């Protein structure tokens, strides 16, 4: 990770970061300056009509935002409205949520993507839906966030998060919520993955403790020019490292078809940016 950060600062590699609770230990502004982050939350345009929205789930937590700011006041009011039992279970001090200003920005970006016929991937430190991480590890207002995403499931397809070290996954309302297993407690010493993005699906290829998954993003019965085979036809499949020869062969066949489509469709596409690395 240190090498990736070094390369990104030298502009050899593009690094996209989302703010998390541990980053606040050096203060928000110091961390942003060191990591060359211009805004707390922002949009990245991706090829083939995909958009990446990077959110700040430290927002709304009075510990992490400027005192007496709108986000601070909103966080205080939200906490005051909850019972002590609820806060003990769900409002952990190292978490946070999406305050009003950021939420309005998020809705505006999703609306713009919807009007432009684009699909959205969301990245955040805390998970954004109940059930996608352990109780108390999701964003404080995950119920409201996930309800909004699921009302826009034709546009919002995948939410990727970290924070909860064991990881997790849930599909709600045709939106995939995936929490990546953390390196910190990985028995094998590492945990990260690559997200391959296609018209009909996204494939998380995990390394180390990170679980691999195929997550369908197109409607059933809608022809996308891609053939699915065997294990690939489900909405989500955990891809094991112990596949049988038959399953491995059919996965290679589907991947070959995807590669042919990718190479043909990129012949008219130009992208001046370097590789994109997302830091959880």
């Amino acid at each position: 990770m240190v090498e990736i950060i070094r390369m990104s600062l030298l502009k050899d590699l593009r690094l996209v970061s989302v703010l998390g609770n541990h980053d606040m230990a050096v203060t928000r502004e110091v961390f942003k300056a060191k990591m060359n982050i211009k805004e707390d939350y922002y949009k990245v345009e991706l090829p083939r009509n995909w958009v990446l929205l990077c959110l700040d789930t430290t927002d709304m937590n009075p510990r992490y935002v400027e005192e007496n700011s709108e986000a601070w006041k909103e966080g205080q009011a939200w906490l005051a409205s909850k019972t002590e039992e609820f806060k003990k279970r769900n409002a952990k001090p190292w978490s946070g949520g999406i305050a009003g200003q950021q939420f309005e920005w998020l809705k505006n970006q999703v609306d713009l993507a919807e009007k432009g016929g684009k699909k959205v991937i969301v990245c955040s430190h805390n998970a954004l839906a109940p059930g996608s991480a352990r109780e108390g590890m999701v964003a404080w207002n995950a119920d409201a966030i996930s309800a909004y995403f699921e009302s826009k499931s034709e546009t919002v397809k995948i939410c990727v998060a970290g924070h909860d070290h064991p990881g997790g996954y849930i599909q709600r309302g045709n939106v995939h919520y995936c929490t990546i297993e953390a390196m910190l407690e990985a028995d094998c010493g590492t945990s990260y993955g690559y997200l391959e993005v296609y018209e009909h699906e996204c494939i998380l290829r995990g390394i180390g403790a990170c679980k691999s998954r195929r997550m369908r993003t197109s409607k059933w019965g809608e022809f996308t020019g891609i053939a699915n085979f065997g294990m690939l036809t489900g909405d989500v499949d955990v891809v094991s490292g112990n596949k049988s020869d038959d399953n491995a062969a059919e996965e290679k066949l589907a991947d070959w078809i995807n590669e042919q489509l990718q190479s043909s469709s990129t012949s008219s596409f130009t992208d001046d940016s370097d590789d994109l690395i997302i830091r959880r």
Side-chain angles (χ1 to χ4, degrees):
M1 193 66 215
V2 172
E3 182 62 16
I4 290 173
I5 293 172
R6 187 192 69 80
M7 291 171 62
S8 73
L9 295 176
L10 294 175
K11 302 188 185 303
D12 294 327
L13 182 70
R14 187 176 187 185
L15 177 66
V16 174
S17 293
V18 293
L19 294 170
N21 54 301
H22 291 292
D23 306 328
M24 300 299 106
V26 296
T27 76
R28 179 182 303 271
E29 295 309 318
V30 168
F31 182 80
K32 286 168 61 180
K34 290 291 185 181
M35 297 298 293
N36 196 29
I37 302 173
K38 304 301 182 186
E39 304 292 343
D40 292 351
Y41 46 90
Y42 52 95
K43 173 176 71 172
V44 179
E45 294 282 355
L46 300 177
R48 298 196 193 94
N49 292 320
W50 283 86
V51 175
L52 176 68
L53 299 181
C54 299
L55 303 184
D56 171 22
T57 51
T58 67
D59 197 12
M60 200 170 139
N61 187 332
R63 295 178 65 199
Y64 301 140
V65 296
E66 185 178 350
E67 189 173 354
N68 292 320
S69 65
E70 288 303 314
W72 184 90
K73 293 176 183 177
E74 188 175 335
Q76 292 282 24
W78 187 87
L79 288 168
S81 71
K82 306 301 179 184
T83 65
E84 289 303 317
E85 181 60 27
F86 177 91
K87 287 187 284 188
K88 183 178 179 180
R89 294 196 325 270
N90 296 289
K92 302 297 185 182
W94 52 77
S95 294
I98 304 296
Q101 183 176 346
Q102 184 179 179
F103 211 151
E104 287 306 309
W105 176 88
L106 171 62
K107 291 177 179 178
N108 183 55
Q109 295 303 318
V110 171
D111 286 344
L112 289 173
E114 184 178 37
K115 291 173 183 175
K118 298 181 179 182
K119 295 179 182 178
V120 172
I121 299 169
V122 179
C123 279
S124 60
H125 185 68
N126 287 82
L128 300 176
S132 59
R134 290 176 297 175
E135 189 176 46
M137 305 301 279
V138 299
W140 285 356
N141 54 340
D143 283 330
I145 298 166
S146 57
Y148 171 69
F149 285 158
E150 289 147 32
S151 74
K152 295 286 186 176
S153 62
E154 291 299 305
T155 302
V156 179
K157 296 298 181 180
I158 293 178
C159 297
V160 182
H163 190 62
D164 193 15
H165 296 177
Y169 170 84
I170 195 170
Q171 183 179 5
R172 292 165 46 114
N174 296 320
V175 180
H176 300 275
Y177 298 91
C178 189
T179 301
I180 304 298
E181 292 77 8
M183 315 185 162
L184 193 60
E185 297 179 21
D187 292 339
C188 56
T190 193
S191 181
Y192 64 96
Y194 302 92
L195 188 65
E196 299 178 5
V197 181
Y198 301 99
E199 175 68 19
H200 66 304
E201 69 178 359
C202 289
I203 306 172
L204 175 62
R205 297 199 183 274
I207 308 297
C210 179
K211 290 182 180 177
S212 297
R213 300 181 186 276
R214 289 182 180 268
M215 295 171 281
R216 186 181 180 91
T217 58
S218 63
K219 292 180 180 179
W220 284 103
E222 181 178 281
F223 180 68
T224 61
I226 304 293
N228 282 339
F229 298 91
M231 61 171 275
L232 308 184
T233 57
D235 281 338
V236 59
D237 288 289
V238 175
V239 182
S240 164
N242 300 313
K243 294 182 287 287
S244 68
D245 291 343
D246 289 343
N247 280 348
E250 68 183 19
E251 182 179 351
K252 289 179 181 178
L253 176 59
D255 286 344
W256 179 86
I257 294 172
N258 290 344
E259 287 168 6
Q260 304 314 303
L261 183 70
Q262 181 182 13
S263 61
S264 64
S265 63
T266 54
S267 60
S268 60
F269 176 80
T270 57
D271 182 11
D272 295 330
S273 64
D274 293 322
D275 291 338
L276 180 71
I277 300 293
I278 301 171
R279 176 185 170 276
R280 57 181 289 285

